[in-house]
Structure formats: C-alpha cells, structure tokens
Amino acid sequence: MRLFSKKRQQPQRVLPRHIGIIMDGNGRWAQKRGLPRSAGHTAGAANFKTITRYCSAIGIEYLTVYAFSTENWKRPKDEVGALIVLFKQYLEEALRDFLDDDIKVRFIGDTTAFPEELQTLIAETVEVSKNRTGMVLNLAMNYGGRAEIVGAVRQISQDTKDGKLAPEEITEETISAALSTAGQPDPDLIIRPSGEHRISNFLLWQSAYSEYVIMDILWPDFKPRDLEAAIDEYSHRKRRFGGV
C-alpha cells in the first residue's frame, strides 16, 4: 500500500466495476470537534447515503461498505448501542425514502448477532430491493474476512464429508463460491479514508489483487470529489495480476 497522491493525472478514465470502502475516522472526526463519538457515527451515516447514491449515479456496479466489523463489539457498550440505533434508523429511512433508488441491498456478515428488530428490518430491506437491477450495495455488518473464510471452509468440509465434493475438486473458484460475495466480481478498488494503512480484516480473500487508495480524509469529510480523485488514481495504475 502507498499513500494516495492528488498530483497524478490520468488521461483516460477507467471506472471500476466493484468498489470497497472502509468507512474510517468517524470517532476522530467527532473528537476533533469536541463532540461525542456517536456524533461522528451520525455524520458518517449521512455521508454514506451521499456516497452510495453517487456511486450508483456514475455507474458503479457493486459497492461494498464496511459498516461494523466482528471486532467492533469490543468498543464501549454505549458506542455499540448508538451504532445499532443508527443502523435501525438507516434501514427505516431506506425502506421509506429509497423506493425510487435502483439499488439492490445485500448484507454480508453474521447479522444474527443483532437485536431481533434490526434483523427484521434487514430481512425486509433485502426483500424490498431484491428485484432491482441497478447497483448492488453490500453492507458489511458484523463482518470479518477471517470469519467469512472459516465459514466457507466449514461449508466445503461438510460438502466433502457428504460426498458432494472430492478434495481434489476444491479450487479457488470453489472457495469464492462459498463466500458471501459469491457471483460478484472481486473489488477492483478499495478506498480507505482516514490515512490508516491497514486492511482491517476486510474482504481478505476477495481483495488479493485489489488496488488500494489510502486518503488522509476522515470519513464524514469524504466527498464525491474525493471518490472521483480515488477513481482517477485507480485509472492511472497498470493492473498486472501477478504478470508482467
């Protein structure tokens, strides 16, 4: 990984099919302003809506956003509680206000760990949007890349045990098909605002050849122009996928 530079110019724009975003920096954004961390999450949630709609408008086919990791349960209980309230508000608003948005919403991660009311809203959001043909939005909630791979290994192991699959038949495609993003292209571009140089357990299998763009901008301050700058940086790079 390397720090993003705004100085590079690319004459021909290449639009990634699949973008992943690690929405980072909400807490620091709030602390810089003398506000509680929950205020940062509120600002970040509002910005998420803006960026999601913008991605859909410019023709991104798949967007995966890291909303809540398996490790986030370690945060203070009041912060976790505030996040769950925000998730509930977002889903209620999505059901009410996003009826005209051609965005198919999916969830990746173990959502059974959330309160029953939130699980109901998750299921309703998926059902309402299932026939939409526009951008696919993957919301990673209670998601961890390692946990996802463990789940895939367990499924494949069970299939082998049941005689549905021979060990020598297991391929990279077999594993990809057992992940929560099965049937989707791997992310071309992963953006991490906040300047942190970490993968943070996000799409570990799928991001093997993703291009990372790290930007020294806290998530609530991340604007459509910053997304465009990240896409321009991505366009400049030559993707060799291990070749020459």
Side-chain angles (χ1 to χ4, degrees):
M1 295 182 194
R2 64 184 179 79
L3 192 65
F4 165 75
S5 171
K6 288 188 177 179
K7 295 181 180 180
R8 290 198 163 190
Q9 299 295 325
Q10 172 64 23
Q12 184 174 359
R13 188 170 188 253
V14 178
L15 195 68
R17 293 185 66 196
H18 187 171
I19 293 178
I21 301 179
I22 300 174
M23 301 186 295
D24 193 17
N26 292 339
R28 277 170 285 166
W29 183 90
Q31 289 171 342
K32 283 176 64 176
R33 291 160 175 76
L35 301 171
R37 289 176 61 88
S38 59
H41 294 307
T42 300
N47 194 45
F48 156 72
K49 297 176 190 176
T50 299
I51 297 300
T52 295
R53 280 177 160 149
Y54 188 81
C55 284
S56 176
I58 65 173
I60 302 301
E61 296 178 48
Y62 299 87
L63 173 66
T64 301
V65 295
Y66 209 2
F68 191 86
S69 77
T70 49
E71 290 73 39
N72 285 159
W73 295 106
K74 300 174 185 177
R75 294 185 177 186
K77 288 185 177 180
D78 58 342
E79 184 175 345
V80 172
L83 279 169
I84 290 175
V85 169
L86 268 180
F87 295 152
K88 179 175 178 290
Q89 290 174 350
Y90 162 72
L91 294 178
E92 288 173 339
E93 290 172 5
L95 289 169
R96 184 181 66 243
D97 301 334
F98 282 18
L99 295 177
D100 295 328
D101 290 276
D102 191 21
I103 298 173
K104 178 181 290 189
V105 184
R106 297 181 69 255
F107 293 82
I108 62 174
D110 181 13
T111 58
T112 62
F114 292 116
E116 186 174 345
E117 184 179 15
L118 185 55
Q119 291 183 53
T120 299
L121 282 170
I122 288 170
E124 189 175 353
T125 302
V126 171
E127 179 64 24
V128 166
S129 70
K130 69 179 183 181
N131 292 323
R132 294 175 184 167
T133 58
M135 185 181 77
V136 174
L137 169 64
N138 297 312
L139 280 168
M141 292 175 57
N142 195 26
Y143 172 88
R146 287 184 172 182
E148 181 182 37
I149 293 170
V150 167
V153 170
R154 286 175 176 166
Q155 178 183 320
I156 294 167
S157 298
Q158 187 63 52
D159 288 345
T160 304
K161 182 180 178 181
D162 294 342
K164 299 177 182 178
L165 186 68
E168 60 271 18
E169 294 175 325
I170 298 172
T171 63
E172 291 186 11
E173 290 73 22
T174 307
I175 296 171
S176 293
L179 299 175
S180 54
T181 53
Q184 300 183 15
D186 290 337
D188 305 291
L189 168 64
I190 294 180
I191 304 169
R192 178 153 196 166
S194 84
E196 298 291 347
H197 289 244
R198 289 190 300 274
I199 297 173
S200 293
N201 204 15
F202 181 57
L203 300 178
L204 296 181
W205 177 272
Q206 298 93 326
S207 65
Y209 283 102
S210 299
E211 296 293 329
Y212 267 80
V213 172
I214 296 171
M215 308 180 80
D216 195 17
I217 304 167
L218 300 177
W219 172 247
D221 292 328
F222 187 88
K223 306 298 182 187
R225 65 174 179 268
D226 301 309
L227 178 72
E228 289 287 353
I231 292 173
D232 287 344
E233 170 71 7
Y234 164 82
S235 295
H236 184 89
R237 299 182 185 177
K238 183 178 180 181
R239 304 183 74 196
R240 293 184 289 272
F241 300 96
V244 178

